Amino acid sequence: MSKVRVRYAPSPTGFLHIGNARSALFNYLFARHYDGDFIIRIEDTDKARHVEEGESSQLDYLKWLGIDWDESVDVGGEYGPYRQSERRHIYDPLVQQLLDEDKAYRCYMTSEELEAEREEQLSRGEQPMYSGKHANLTKEEEDAFIREGREPAIRIRVPKDKTYTFNDMVKGDVSFESNGIGDWVIVKKDGTPTYNFAVVIDDHYMEISHVLRGDDHISNTPRQQMVYEAFGWEEPKFGHMTLIVNEERKKLSKRDSGILQFIEDYEALGYLPEALFNFIALLGWTPGGEEEIFSKEEFIKLFDEDRLSKAPAFFDKVKLEWVNNQYMKQKDSETIFEMALPFLIKEGKLPENPTENEKNWARELVALYQPQMSYAAEIVKLSEQFFNDEIELDEAGQEVVKGEQVPELMNALYGTFEALEDFSPEAIKKAIKDVQKETGIKGKNLFMPIRVVITGETKGPELPNAIHLIGKDKVLERIKAFI
């Protein structure tokens, strides 16, 4: 294989979302696996749909995910500029070349005329496409349109009766018939080159070897092949990744309210970037075997384009939480504490400027739940029992406290806990053992009622640690209230 050069080319019309991130990530892994170059190019010709922070969102959140690149607007490179809006001096002479060679022509049809043509075709049950009405204008006809003040678009002449075929890295051989594609616009009336035209020129001059992108681009490929053909350039190798689908197995859409779409949403909830990297890398690609947790370096080593899935990639929210939990468990506790603390403050569980003692208490609390947390924001829901003044038992909890021996157990526990001067987890653990000896109650009949009466939950973290964090005064209050 010759030098691998791949690109991720977002439009700054929105923020980095899951689909974008996967395209970038697969291109990154492909480039790094083959010791090639990964380029980020900004396709910013659609000024009307620009989002002010679209470009920075793309770059900042790719960095947050752990992706780096060799050439782009921020690091430069030998093949710039890396914004399409700054490449008009490259496009314009090539447009003129196609006009001079009669491979393209000026079309003066108005948007109203084009819409009327489209409606007429639809009424006849035909597939709407440009009829070629202005494909062979005389000089007199052109001059008349110019006098009217009409601005022309420029269209490429689509060859008739030609089959465009390419061997897709994911799908195998794909074919399109040229007769189903009318002469399409390569330059808009305002002089801006269209996507399918500019992308070919950029990929050619940036020496892109492979174009790996989403399935929604597959119908663009024959149009792009026409441009390569018009200039006599060699095509890159194309690969189209399958769609990402939701729980209904429908294409993931920004309207799917049940799935967070944007990478910044995951950062805001306290997901770990390396976990999200891992999860996205498995959306439509498989390493083989049962293992699902890999480091970035392992992904780079394992990446094989032949293992790109032909079936749609299912976005499994439960699996994402599981993957993130695996990383949360392995992360050092201080990092997890720093991630979780702002959520406790935001929800009013801790003051805005907690004291050192309050921070240390929160540090223990977060460490207690670290093995269970799927993401940092979850600390609020998980630790609710530590902030409630009153306990409300659910049906399962009420069933537990109806046990025959529970009153005896709670009376013994109250006396033992009240006498404790040291209320550390170790002292609490010993005290519970003493109560066991005193009452003869053991196992589930001992631990379950203690947990339910003190925490209000039937399950939770290590019991002595939980009791210690609730604090002696509140623990005695709760036992007394039950008695």
Side-chain angles (χ1 to χ4, degrees), residues 401-413 441 449 479 482-483:
V401 298
K402 283 179 188 170
E404 198 181 318
Q405 295 175 295
V406 177
E408 179 196 354
L409 172 61
M410 288 304 141
N411 276 298
L413 192 68
I441 302 167
I479 299 172
F482 170 79
I483 293 169

Side-chain angles (χ1 to χ4, degrees), residues 45 88 91-92 95 151-154 186-194:
T45 52
R88 280 287 294 273
Y91 307 136
D92 290 349
V95 174
E151 293 289 340
I154 296 172
I186 59 171
V187 180
K188 299 175 200 171
K189 292 185 180 194
D190 65 1
T192 307
T194 58

Side-chain angles (χ1 to χ4, degrees), residues 285-421:
W285 178 81
T286 172
E290 299 298 312
E291 187 59 52
E292 293 191 292
I293 304 297
F294 298 97
S295 67
K296 179 165 70 173
E297 292 69 29
E298 286 170 327
F299 272 118
I300 289 168
K301 188 177 176 184
L302 288 167
F303 192 79
D304 177 356
E305 65 277 18
D306 292 338
R307 299 195 69 89
L308 286 164
S309 174
K310 290 176 171 56
F314 170 48
F315 190 101
D316 186 340
K317 293 185 291 184
V318 174
K319 183 176 175 181
L320 172 57
E321 289 190 4
W322 176 82
V323 169
N324 204 66
N325 173 253
Q326 301 307 301
Y327 281 86
M328 294 286 275
K329 286 192 284 200
Q330 299 303 319
K331 203 77 175 170
D332 67 280
S333 56
E334 189 60 23
T335 298
I336 301 299
F337 166 66
E338 294 291 348
M339 289 173 69
L341 182 62
F343 296 105
L344 292 169
I345 293 171
K346 184 185 170 191
E347 294 300 320
K349 307 299 183 187
L350 291 172
E352 202 155 317
N353 295 301
T355 64
E356 236 6 81
N357 280 346
E358 286 167 331
K359 273 190 181 180
N360 286 334
W361 180 85
R363 195 173 266 110
E364 284 188 62
L365 178 75
V366 173
L368 195 61
Y369 283 101
Q370 184 172 340
Q372 287 172 254
M373 283 161 66
S374 295
Y375 49 92
E378 211 175 20
I379 187 63
V380 176
K381 182 179 72 176
L382 287 171
S383 64
E384 198 64 54
Q385 59 183 286
F386 292 92
F387 303 100
N388 290 339
D389 288 328
E390 290 183 18
I391 282 176
E392 283 184 31
L393 299 184
D394 61 13
E395 209 174 302
Q398 286 172 14
E399 204 55 45
V400 168
V401 298
K402 283 179 188 170
E404 198 181 318
Q405 295 175 295
V406 177
E408 179 196 354
L409 172 61
M410 288 304 141
N411 276 298
L413 192 68
Y414 186 88
T416 307
F417 276 1
E418 192 180 30
L420 283 182
E421 285 183 25

Side-chain angles (χ1 to χ4, degrees), residues 405 408-409 433-443 445-446:
Q405 295 175 295
E408 179 196 354
L409 172 61
K433 275 192 178 172
D434 292 343
V435 168
Q436 179 187 332
K437 284 177 190 166
E438 183 187 332
T439 60
I441 302 167
K442 55 188 177 183
N445 293 334
L446 173 75

